[in-house]
Amino acid sequence: MTAFSAQLPATVPVTVGDRCCFGGTDLVVIGGPCSVESAAMVLDTALSVAASGARMLRGGAFKPRTSPHTFQGMGDPALDLLAQAGERAGLPVVTEVTDPRHVDRVAGVADMLQVGARNMQNYALLAEVGRSGKPVLLKRGLAATLKEFLLAAEHIRVAGNDAVVLCERGIRTFETASRFTLDVTAVPVLKAESHLPVIVDPSHAGGRAPLVAPLARAAIAAGADGLIVEVHPEPATAQSDAEQSLTFAAFAELMVQVERVALAVGRTIGAAPLAVGASV
Amino acid sequence: MTAFSAQLPATVPVTVGDRCCFGGTDLVVIGGPCSVESAAMVLDTALSVAASGARMLRGGAFKPRTSPHTFQGMGDPALDLLAQAGERAGLPVVTEVTDPRHVDRVAGVADMLQVGARNMQNYALLAEVGRSGKPVLLKRGLAATLKEFLLAAEHIRVAGNDAVVLCERGIRTFETASRFTLDVTAVPVLKAESHLPVIVDPSHAGGRAPLVAPLARAAIAAGADGLIVEVHPEPATAQSDAEQSLTFAAFAELMVQVERVALAVGRTIGAAPLAVGASV
Amino acid sequence: MTAFSAQLPATVPVTVGDRCCFGGTDLVVIGGPCSVESAAMVLDTALSVAASGARMLRGGAFKPRTSPHTFQGMGDPALDLLAQAGERAGLPVVTEVTDPRHVDRVAGVADMLQVGARNMQNYALLAEVGRSGKPVLLKRGLAATLKEFLLAAEHIRVAGNDAVVLCERGIRTFETASRFTLDVTAVPVLKAESHLPVIVDPSHAGGRAPLVAPLARAAIAAGADGLIVEVHPEPATAQSDAEQSLTFAAFAELMVQVERVALAVGRTIGAAPLAVGASV
Amino acid sequence: MTAFSAQLPATVPVTVGDRCCFGGTDLVVIGGPCSVESAAMVLDTALSVAASGARMLRGGAFKPRTSPHTFQGMGDPALDLLAQAGERAGLPVVTEVTDPRHVDRVAGVADMLQVGARNMQNYALLAEVGRSGKPVLLKRGLAATLKEFLLAAEHIRVAGNDAVVLCERGIRTFETASRFTLDVTAVPVLKAESHLPVIVDPSHAGGRAPLVAPLARAAIAAGADGLIVEVHPEPATAQSDAEQSLTFAAFAELMVQVERVALAVGRTIGAAPLAVGASV
């Protein structure tokens, strides 16, 4: 971590399904609700984010929640709803897995497995997603150094899985004006120190809808390979993360802004979806 | 968390075996190696810490390690060695469990289950130790607020288990002179905000042997109900946490110092072990 | 700070000299050496950064240094060298003032006074620069909340000076891969909460030359009104901040990259310098 | 800072007046109001804390306040009131100085000069108090590493003044249950790394009156050479720091508790005040 290579190592792309490739010239934006709340809401969201240029659908089935007394997700039924919505919208899906005993079941439905910030050092889970054969979206722990983050990815790799995408989602600092502090510096450092694609979650980092677009633009400008963004048909009624979810219109506007910045740094977004592998 | 009650709620003691009671007048000091490395080393350590006044034996079988390339613990065999050593020394044993699928097995051998800092928000694991019926030692996550720490304990409680002992073990800050920053303030805050006993781990907090005794004294002076301390027959050769492990002699000296501070704050240590329940 | 206005308050531009205006459509990039080391080096740097599109020259005369045993700056002579270089290059100059007793002297030479991170809550100094009549570049303290940062600006305002430009320069966190952690979220928050222009210092935030360009791009993408960047004719020989200083070539390349991002977010850079006031 | 000496360097005591000696066997507790608000309140407080065993009187005349719109202290008149109260109570006085231009004036009245946390890296001020010939109480900046803290003391020393007492007063972390996070580990680290006496400010660290006593006990148990505590005749009406100020009765009770812990670690408190120099 001490020596910063002027020469970046080439990122080795990670492919999900046949339309999604993290780490190439084309950026991948993942959109979707924090939690799957009903068939209708996840389908509506999937169709809307796809129309705006998202390449993957996110949605929580098993929600790790700080308090045991808040909504914990719909569980298994949500997995099927998510997969159906993804199929209808033509988007592969990513969802969080929180228990090593659920990995097989989730991997049977999802195209990519997410390990959340709370579980970045849950080594039993890392080993199991490593054995799953599915690509993994690994989020940074909120007090993890970048060195520890890369070592967590190494736990997945030694279990047999090289298809890991890193996700910076804000770290915990003294500042309270945002939910967490987006460590945008993590993007160039991780790109320089590893071969793994790096995306950013501006929704959790900022914690408030008006901050999502500026943080998303900053992430792409710093060299991120994509974004994961929370979108909800009616954010005010969301059962989790209401404050940070974007409306469909705000997500569409975000995509326009992000594309402009992407072009400014030599990247594309939503270009040539069917031939994405070729653009790498 | 905003209102600090001048009137402390009475701590409800948590009993482990028939000799150990956390949260009474008598303090509980847990001693033992970071990792169980052999039958001889854990037995020697158990006998030595017992002779110095420790009330419980600690020892790692399954070690969560930041890098997958370092010693991960001996696993199952270590559990038996730990239990045998505890029995010979007359000490109940506590060991960490890191995988919900291991809880039954570990609970079959250990008197108390430890959930480590990395897993404080591993809710699958919290639910499983909650169902185990065994008392739980829950360590604070290194970026967890005290509110989040108490909510993690609540995850165990809603699974059916009230026997939780909280352990402050240092938080992550900008300071690098110690491994972590002991948040000694956590002790009075947690005692005021909950009914759970609170102990402190000065070994991980400080990260260097010469810091263990001052931090242990500070913890007891602030009102902690006990300590958990790493002790090794020959720290320089330890396979993990070598720098912070105490020699037998240093642990014996620590106990003398801690007892003096305990008496100064109206507590005892190692007093009347057989009738400890009565002193509460 | 709790309510985030969807509707940004209009930034009230701050003008320095007749060519520089912070907070308009056109961005302001300040370039120059950490310390003025000789007449030749500061003039060379001034001419080079001006040719690359910088609008203002920076350079330290009085350097606040953590250790009293390192280079403290050339003091008074450096002020004159800086001013002469600025005049030759057609750039107004900004330099740090650290002592309230120096304010008159520095204000007699510099076009803008910088208050550094260490002095963000040095209220005697804030009052004095407030009385100086010169525009002030106020850097955020490395553990200052955004609320405290805005209140520090208020100390300058109540002393009679509204011409304050805020500068985010990285905060102190647990992460050690970069010198500080750039809080890029500060940009949209400060723009939403105040009328003051906001610039970013990617050099101190990252602390290493290869990080400067990605952080600079991120800052502009997030909505910053400008940048302050350390540039040195021969960074390896710099008497302070050698690791984070850019060569002339690297600065020129930075400006190209920054301009592209600026255009992507509806800003210009280096456009129409003589009529900049008109573009606001 | 990397090597922790098992062998502590002997602390070189710092003497203030003829009754106060920091760094000997006997501890020094400083008590008094945050701000001097009237002649009566400071005299009452001085007499009360002296009767309870305090050895020095504190009181603010020039208050550095985060907002320019809150009470900034009475200024010069407060200095005289503080000195008169100290004299009547037989206590030397310490007060904060925030402006290098005030040092001579404050040094003419106070027995010890305090440099506050906000000014720990205000090098112009450090140089001036270094030249003053008065002992200095230097508070740790809220994001200062211990290495930076010792280098700030070095700025005073190179200006000609070795009589520096270090004060740990809490650092800024993510935790919000207390005002700051007392870094109690700083006490043994600073004692090991320097010859300077080290005291602790539990009032600012905790920020709430019920936390002051536990933190004070922890500090002494960890090896601190003294305490500085905010006391007010009627805390609820205090013009600053109301929440963290102790009543006279609470301070008296604190002293009883602190003395017990002091004896447990081989220290005394309030013993043999007239011959304190001899006990070192």
Side-chain angles (χ1 to χ4, degrees):
Chain A
M1 197 60 56
T2 46
F4 188 95
S5 338
Q7 185 66 30
L8 303 196
T11 298
V12 177
V14 170
T15 301
V16 180
D18 52 1
R19 295 168 60 92
C20 238
C21 177
F22 292 89
T25 299
D26 205 48
L27 302 179
V28 176
V29 178
I30 309 169
C34 177
S35 304
V36 173
E37 297 170 7
S38 74
M41 71 81 73
V42 68
L43 179 58
D44 284 357
T45 307
L47 294 170
S48 179
V49 299
S52 295
R55 286 290 179 78
M56 192 179 294
L57 177 65
R58 62 151 291 152
F62 301 94
K63 299 301 302 175
R65 301 299 299 278
T66 301
S67 164
H69 304 301
T70 46
F71 177 61
Q72 310 286 310
M74 290 174 65
D76 278 318
L79 287 180
D80 294 326
L81 298 179
L82 181 69
Q84 289 158 17
E87 195 164 3
R88 286 279 297 281
L91 300 178
V93 302
V94 58
T95 195
E96 181 167 0
V97 59
T98 60
D99 186 324
R101 298 165 298 190
H102 295 179
V103 170
D104 281 350
R105 196 183 343 152
V106 178
V109 179
D111 300 285
M112 187 180 207
L113 303 177
Q114 178 181 315
V115 175
R118 292 173 178 85
N119 286 306
M120 191 201 83
Q121 294 190 312
N122 178 345
Y123 300 126
L125 183 64
L126 296 182
E128 215 58 62
V129 298
R131 282 188 282 267
S132 73
K134 288 280 182 177
V136 178
L137 181 61
L138 177 65
K139 291 190 138 186
R140 181 183 184 184
L142 51 81
T145 63
L146 294 177
K147 190 174 175 186
E148 290 167 345
F149 191 16
L150 288 172
L151 285 169
E154 183 73 0
H155 274 269
I156 298 172
R157 200 189 62 77
V158 300
N161 191 342
D162 285 340
V164 177
V165 173
L166 302 172
C167 180
E168 159 65 28
R169 43 77 73 212
I171 58 174
R172 187 153 263 176
T173 71
F174 62 84
E175 180 57 65
T176 55
S178 47
R179 187 173 175 190
F180 295 100
T181 297
L182 179 66
D183 180 11
V184 75
T185 315
V187 175
V189 172
L190 292 170
K191 297 285 285 184
E193 300 285 336
S194 87
H195 295 264
L196 303 174
V198 179
I199 71 169
V200 165
D201 177 346
S203 305
H204 282 87
R208 285 180 291 145
L211 291 174
V212 175
L215 297 186
R217 297 190 312 254
I220 298 308
D225 296 305
L227 300 167
I228 180 166
V229 178
E230 289 190 345
V231 182
H232 192 280
E234 218 177 329
T237 69
Q239 290 188 271
S240 49
D241 287 350
E243 238 192 311
Q244 73 201 32
S245 294
L246 296 190
T247 61
F248 295 168
F251 180 74
E253 165 62 17
L254 172 85
M255 290 298 284
V256 172
Q257 294 183 18
V258 164
E259 182 170 26
R260 282 192 203 121
V261 176
L263 294 172
V265 294
R267 308 293 286 263
T268 53
I269 186 164
L274 294 174
V276 69
S279 72
V280 179
Chain B
M1 195 64 54
T2 45
F4 189 96
S5 340
Q7 185 65 32
L8 305 195
T11 298
V12 177
V14 169
T15 302
V16 180
D18 53 2
R19 295 167 61 93
C20 238
C21 179
F22 292 88
T25 300
D26 205 48
L27 304 179
V28 176
V29 179
I30 308 170
C34 176
S35 303
V36 173
E37 296 170 8
S38 73
M41 74 78 73
V42 67
L43 179 58
D44 284 359
T45 307
L47 294 171
S48 180
V49 300
S52 295
R55 284 296 177 74
M56 192 179 295
L57 177 65
R58 62 152 289 154
F62 301 94
K63 299 301 301 175
R65 301 299 297 280
T66 302
S67 165
H69 304 299
T70 47
F71 179 62
Q72 309 287 311
M74 288 174 65
D76 277 318
L79 287 180
D80 293 327
L81 298 179
L82 181 70
Q84 289 159 18
E87 194 164 4
R88 285 279 297 279
L91 300 177
V93 303
V94 59
T95 196
E96 182 167 359
V97 58
T98 59
D99 187 325
R101 297 165 297 189
H102 295 180
V103 168
D104 281 351
R105 196 181 346 151
V106 177
V109 179
D111 301 284
M112 185 177 210
L113 303 177
Q114 178 181 314
V115 174
R118 290 174 180 84
N119 286 305
M120 191 201 85
Q121 294 189 314
N122 178 344
Y123 301 126
L125 183 64
L126 295 181
E128 215 56 61
V129 300
R131 283 189 283 268
S132 74
K134 288 281 180 175
V136 178
L137 181 61
L138 178 64
K139 291 189 138 187
R140 181 182 184 185
L142 48 83
T145 63
L146 294 176
K147 189 172 175 189
E148 291 167 343
F149 191 15
L150 289 171
L151 285 169
E154 183 72 359
H155 274 269
I156 298 173
R157 199 189 64 74
V158 299
N161 191 343
D162 286 340
V164 177
V165 174
L166 302 172
C167 180
E168 157 65 29
R169 44 76 73 210
I171 58 174
R172 188 154 262 174
T173 71
F174 63 83
E175 180 58 65
T176 55
S178 47
R179 187 172 175 190
F180 295 100
T181 296
L182 179 67
D183 180 11
V184 75
T185 315
V187 175
V189 172
L190 291 171
K191 298 286 285 184
E193 299 287 336
S194 87
H195 295 263
L196 302 175
V198 179
I199 72 169
V200 165
D201 176 346
S203 305
H204 282 87
R208 286 182 289 144
L211 292 175
V212 176
L215 297 186
R217 298 191 309 256
I220 299 307
D225 295 307
L227 300 167
I228 179 164
V229 178
E230 289 190 343
V231 182
H232 193 280
E234 217 176 329
T237 70
Q239 291 188 270
S240 51
D241 287 351
E243 240 192 310
Q244 73 200 32
S245 294
L246 296 189
T247 61
F248 294 169
F251 181 74
E253 166 62 17
L254 172 86
M255 291 297 285
V256 172
Q257 294 182 21
V258 165
E259 183 170 25
R260 283 193 201 121
V261 175
L263 294 171
V265 293
R267 309 294 284 265
T268 54
I269 186 165
L274 294 174
V276 70
S279 73
V280 179
Chain C
M1 196 63 52
T2 44
F4 188 96
S5 338
Q7 185 65 32
L8 306 195
T11 297
V12 176
V14 169
T15 301
V16 179
D18 52 2
R19 296 168 60 94
C20 237
C21 177
F22 292 89
T25 300
D26 205 47
L27 304 178
V28 176
V29 179
I30 308 170
C34 176
S35 303
V36 173
E37 298 171 6
S38 73
M41 72 80 73
V42 68
L43 178 57
D44 284 357
T45 308
L47 294 170
S48 180
V49 299
S52 295
R55 284 294 176 75
M56 192 180 293
L57 177 67
R58 61 153 289 153
F62 301 94
K63 300 301 302 176
R65 300 300 297 279
T66 302
S67 164
H69 303 300
T70 46
F71 177 62
Q72 309 288 309
M74 288 174 65
D76 278 318
L79 288 180
D80 293 327
L81 298 180
L82 182 70
Q84 289 158 16
E87 195 165 2
R88 286 278 298 277
L91 300 177
V93 302
V94 57
T95 196
E96 182 168 359
V97 59
T98 59
D99 185 326
R101 298 165 296 191
H102 295 179
V103 170
D104 281 350
R105 196 179 348 150
V106 177
V109 179
D111 300 284
M112 186 180 208
L113 303 177
Q114 177 181 314
V115 174
R118 292 174 178 84
N119 286 305
M120 191 201 84
Q121 293 189 313
N122 177 345
Y123 301 126
L125 182 64
L126 296 181
E128 214 58 60
V129 298
R131 282 189 283 266
S132 73
K134 288 280 181 177
V136 177
L137 180 61
L138 178 64
K139 291 190 137 187
R140 181 182 184 184
L142 49 82
T145 63
L146 294 177
K147 189 173 176 187
E148 290 167 344
F149 190 16
L150 289 172
L151 285 168
E154 183 73 358
H155 273 269
I156 298 173
R157 200 190 63 76
V158 299
N161 191 343
D162 285 340
V164 177
V165 174
L166 302 172
C167 180
E168 158 64 29
R169 43 77 72 210
I171 58 173
R172 187 155 263 175
T173 71
F174 62 82
E175 180 57 65
T176 55
S178 47
R179 186 173 177 189
F180 295 99
T181 296
L182 179 67
D183 180 10
V184 74
T185 315
V187 175
V189 172
L190 291 171
K191 296 286 285 184
E193 300 286 337
S194 86
H195 295 264
L196 302 175
V198 178
I199 71 168
V200 165
D201 176 347
S203 306
H204 283 86
R208 286 180 291 144
L211 292 174
V212 175
L215 298 185
R217 296 190 311 255
I220 298 308
D225 296 307
L227 300 167
I228 180 167
V229 178
E230 289 190 345
V231 182
H232 193 278
E234 219 178 329
T237 68
Q239 290 188 273
S240 52
D241 287 349
E243 240 191 310
Q244 73 200 31
S245 293
L246 296 189
T247 60
F248 294 168
F251 181 74
E253 167 61 19
L254 172 86
M255 291 297 285
V256 172
Q257 294 182 20
V258 164
E259 182 170 26
R260 283 193 202 119
V261 176
L263 294 171
V265 294
R267 309 292 285 264
T268 53
I269 184 165
L274 294 174
V276 70
S279 73
V280 179
Chain D
M1 195 64 53
T2 46
F4 188 96
S5 340
Q7 185 65 32
L8 304 195
T11 298
V12 176
V14 169
T15 301
V16 180
D18 52 1
R19 294 168 60 93
C20 237
C21 177
F22 292 88
T25 300
D26 206 47
L27 304 178
V28 175
V29 179
I30 308 170
C34 176
S35 303
V36 173
E37 297 170 6
S38 73
M41 73 80 72
V42 66
L43 179 57
D44 284 358
T45 307
L47 294 170
S48 179
V49 299
S52 295
R55 284 295 176 75
M56 193 179 293
L57 177 65
R58 63 152 287 152
F62 301 94
K63 299 300 301 176
R65 300 300 296 281
T66 301
S67 165
H69 304 300
T70 47
F71 178 61
Q72 309 287 311
M74 290 174 62
D76 277 318
L79 287 179
D80 293 327
L81 297 179
L82 181 70
Q84 288 158 18
E87 193 164 6
R88 285 278 299 279
L91 300 177
V93 303
V94 58
T95 196
E96 181 167 0
V97 59
T98 60
D99 186 326
R101 297 165 297 191
H102 295 180
V103 170
D104 281 351
R105 195 180 350 149
V106 178
V109 179
D111 301 284
M112 187 177 207
L113 304 177
Q114 178 181 314
V115 174
R118 289 174 180 85
N119 286 305
M120 192 202 83
Q121 293 190 314
N122 178 343
Y123 301 126
L125 183 63
L126 296 181
E128 213 60 59
V129 299
R131 283 188 283 268
S132 74
K134 288 281 181 175
V136 177
L137 181 61
L138 178 65
K139 291 190 139 188
R140 182 182 184 184
L142 50 82
T145 63
L146 294 177
K147 190 173 174 187
E148 290 168 343
F149 191 16
L150 289 172
L151 284 169
E154 183 73 358
H155 273 269
I156 298 173
R157 199 190 63 75
V158 299
N161 191 343
D162 286 340
V164 177
V165 174
L166 302 172
C167 180
E168 158 64 29
R169 44 77 74 212
I171 58 174
R172 186 154 263 175
T173 71
F174 62 84
E175 180 58 64
T176 54
S178 47
R179 186 172 176 191
F180 296 99
T181 297
L182 179 66
D183 180 11
V184 75
T185 315
V187 175
V189 171
L190 292 171
K191 298 285 285 185
E193 299 286 336
S194 86
H195 296 263
L196 302 175
V198 179
I199 72 169
V200 165
D201 176 347
S203 305
H204 282 86
R208 287 181 290 145
L211 292 174
V212 175
L215 296 186
R217 298 191 310 256
I220 298 307
D225 296 306
L227 300 166
I228 180 165
V229 178
E230 289 190 344
V231 182
H232 192 280
E234 219 177 329
T237 69
Q239 290 188 271
S240 51
D241 287 350
E243 240 192 308
Q244 73 200 31
S245 294
L246 297 188
T247 62
F248 295 168
F251 181 74
E253 167 61 18
L254 172 85
M255 291 297 285
V256 171
Q257 294 183 19
V258 165
E259 182 168 27
R260 284 193 201 120
V261 175
L263 295 171
V265 294
R267 310 293 285 262
T268 53
I269 186 165
L274 294 173
V276 70
S279 73
V280 178

